[in-house]
Amino acid sequence: VSNQPDGGFGKAPTVKAPRDNFNGGSQEQMPWTVFNRYGQRKYLTSSEVDSFVRSAKATSIEVQSFCWMLAFSGCRISEALSMTRDSIDFEAKHVIIRCLKKRGKRVFRAIPLPPDYLKLLRRWLGQDRQGTALLWPWSRMTGYRRICEVMQAAGVRGSYATPKGLRHAFGVRAIQASVPLTLVQRWLGHADIKTTAIYTGAMGPEEREIAARMWKSRGRVPRGGVGTVDLRQDRVQVRRPVLAS
C-alpha cells in the first residue's frame, strides 16, 4: 500500500498503524488547526469521501461495511474493530459505540446511520442480529490496510487518505451541514468541545460562495458618478446619475 500512516499528522511517516489520537499519546491532544505543519489539510473533502464510498462497493461486503462504518459514523478504527452484532441497533437505526478513550470507564455513544448502510448491514448479518462476535475480527494493521487499499482504488492520495482522515472528514461535513457543535462533539466522542471546534476552521460551501461574490464584485466609483468596476477586464465604467426634471 502506498499510503502512509497518519499518526500525529505532519510527523515523519512510519510503517505501523498510528494510535487513535493526534500526537500518539495516551490521551487525545487538541490539534489547533485542520492543517498540519506543512499546510496540508488533515481531512478528506466531500467529493473524496464520496469516491471512497463508491470504491468500497467493489470490495467484499465485509470490507465495504467496514469502510462505510468509518465514513458514516466518524468512529476511530479501534472502536470499529471492537464492534459486535449487538452494536447495531436496527430498530433505532444507529450504531452504539463504546468510547475506548475513557480508560476504566464504560462510556457509550449512539450515532445514526444512513438507510442504505443499514440495508447493507441487514443483508450481511442476515436475521441473526444479536451476538458478541466481532463484526471485523481483524488486527489493527489489517483494518488500516483495508482502508488504505480502498483509498488507493478511489484515487485519493495524500497524508489524509487514512482512517483518521475519514474521521476528520466526518467532523468537517457535519459542521458544514449545520449540525450543532455539541451534537458533533457527542458523535465524535470528544471530551472537550474545543477539540470539536477545530472543524469550523475548514472552508465550507458558504465561505466559497462569499469568495465567488468577491471575485465578481462591483464597486462604486467616487466623485459623484455611479460606476462599476470590472475586475476581469481591469476597467472602470462611470454612469452619471440622471436628474429628475
Side-chain angles (χ1 to χ4, degrees), residues 38-212:
Y38 301 113
Q40 300 170 328
R41 55 184 164 84
K42 301 175 182 178
Y43 59 93
L44 277 72
T45 63
S46 292
S47 60
E48 288 172 335
V49 173
D50 292 341
S51 296
F52 173 79
V53 169
R54 286 194 300 268
S55 293
K57 293 181 179 180
T59 64
S60 67
I61 193 170
E62 185 181 25
V63 173
Q64 180 184 354
S65 60
F66 180 71
C67 291
W68 282 20
M69 179 59 75
L70 269 68
F72 293 142
S73 73
C75 69
R76 303 173 177 91
I77 187 172
S78 56
E79 293 172 339
L81 292 174
S82 68
M83 291 180 188
T84 67
R85 297 193 176 194
D86 287 343
S87 300
I88 310 299
D89 190 331
F90 287 99
E91 187 64 28
K93 300 179 181 179
H94 62 218
V95 58
I96 302 171
I97 300 176
R98 181 182 179 186
C99 186
L100 300 180
K101 286 293 181 179
K102 313 295 183 181
R103 299 185 184 277
K105 299 180 181 179
R106 300 186 69 85
V107 178
F108 298 89
R109 66 184 191 274
I111 303 175
L113 296 176
D116 288 346
Y117 184 36
L118 287 169
K119 290 179 182 178
L120 177 72
L121 290 173
R122 281 183 184 275
R123 188 170 75 250
W124 180 39
L125 301 179
Q127 297 301 316
D128 184 11
R129 301 174 196 156
Q130 294 183 345
T132 57
L134 294 175
L135 292 179
W136 301 285
W138 305 336
S139 68
R140 181 185 181 82
M141 178 56 75
T142 297
Y144 187 89
R145 285 174 176 167
R146 294 293 175 267
I147 295 296
C148 291
E149 288 167 358
V150 176
M151 289 284 186
Q152 188 174 28
V156 180
R157 303 287 189 270
S159 60
Y160 49 81
T162 58
K164 182 60 70 66
L166 285 172
R167 178 169 166 82
H168 290 324
F170 178 88
V172 169
R173 294 185 82 171
I175 294 297
Q176 294 179 354
S178 299
V179 176
L181 194 63
T182 52
L183 188 53
V184 180
Q185 176 192 13
R186 189 172 73 194
W187 287 351
L188 289 174
H190 289 159
D192 192 336
I193 198 170
K194 292 180 181 179
T195 304
T196 315
I198 67 163
Y199 297 119
T200 62
M203 179 178 293
E206 296 84 2
E207 187 174 350
R208 186 169 294 279
E209 288 175 7
I210 293 173

